[in-house]
Every structure is written in C-alpha cells, then in structure tokens.
Amino acid sequence: MQQSRLDWSPMKSIYKNAEAIKGMEEAAAAYEKSLLNSHIVPRSPFTDEVERICAMHMDKILHGGVGVKQGLDDAYKEIKATLKW
C-alpha cells in the first residue's frame, strides 16, 4: 500500500534529491556490512502476528484512517490481547 503513494510529496522530493539518494546508498551499504557481522536472534512464536498487527495499524495511520495516537493505542490493545498480557 505504501508504495502506491508515490504521489506523496516527501516521497517525490527524496527521489529527486541527490544528497538523499547518496545517504540511502550509504545506509544500505552500512546495513549490508552489519548483516555480515550479525547473528540469528531467536524469534517469538508471536513475532509474525505482532508484525502484521503493526503493519495494519501503520497503514491506517498513513492513509489518514485514524490519528497517530489512536492508531498506536489500537495497535497496543490488539497486541496486548494477542499476547494475553
């Protein structure tokens, strides 16, 4: 969904900004280097479900369906219910 918003003005300005592109390339190189020095982190059985909940609520926030505070509160409540805290 987020990629379909290429008409979003900050997104356009990033792709036309040479400094931003250079920064992204440097960040990607640093990330790749960090992967070479990383180790596997154990994952919770709920990791995929929590990521799905976060992504769903982030999409609602980005598309203006809810405000930031409300979206984060909703995500928290749903994650809390899923993990049964």
Side-chain angles (χ1 to χ4, degrees), residues 1 52 56 65:
M1 275 190 194
R52 184 195 64 74
M56 180 181 68

Side-chain angles (χ1 to χ4, degrees), residues 6-38:
L6 292 179
D7 60 334
W8 192 28
S9 59
M11 205 62 123
K12 279 186 178 178
S13 65
I14 288 172
Y15 289 122
K16 292 180 181 178
N17 184 333
E19 262 186 55
I21 292 171
K22 183 180 178 195
M24 287 187 282
E25 290 169 350
E26 289 171 355
Y31 177 72
E32 185 177 350
K33 185 178 178 182
S34 74
L35 286 177
L36 298 174
N37 299 321
S38 66

Side-chain angles (χ1 to χ4, degrees), residues 2 6 10-12 21 23 30 32 34 38 43 52 54-55 58 63 68 70 72-73 76-78:
Q2 293 157 350
L6 292 179
M11 205 62 123
K12 279 186 178 178
I21 292 171
E32 185 177 350
S34 74
S38 66
R43 291 171 54 104
R52 184 195 64 74
C54 289
M58 183 62 74
H63 291 283
V68 174
Q70 183 63 48
L72 292 174
D73 287 345
Y76 168 76
K77 289 174 187 171
E78 191 171 342

Side-chain angles (χ1 to χ4, degrees), residues 44-54 56-57 74-85:
S44 159
F46 295 103
T47 300
D48 292 334
E49 183 66 12
V50 169
E51 288 176 356
R52 184 195 64 74
I53 292 167
C54 289
M56 180 181 68
H57 287 284
D74 292 347
Y76 168 76
K77 289 174 187 171
E78 191 171 342
I79 290 168
K80 184 176 178 179
T82 299
L83 299 177
K84 296 176 179 58
W85 285 346

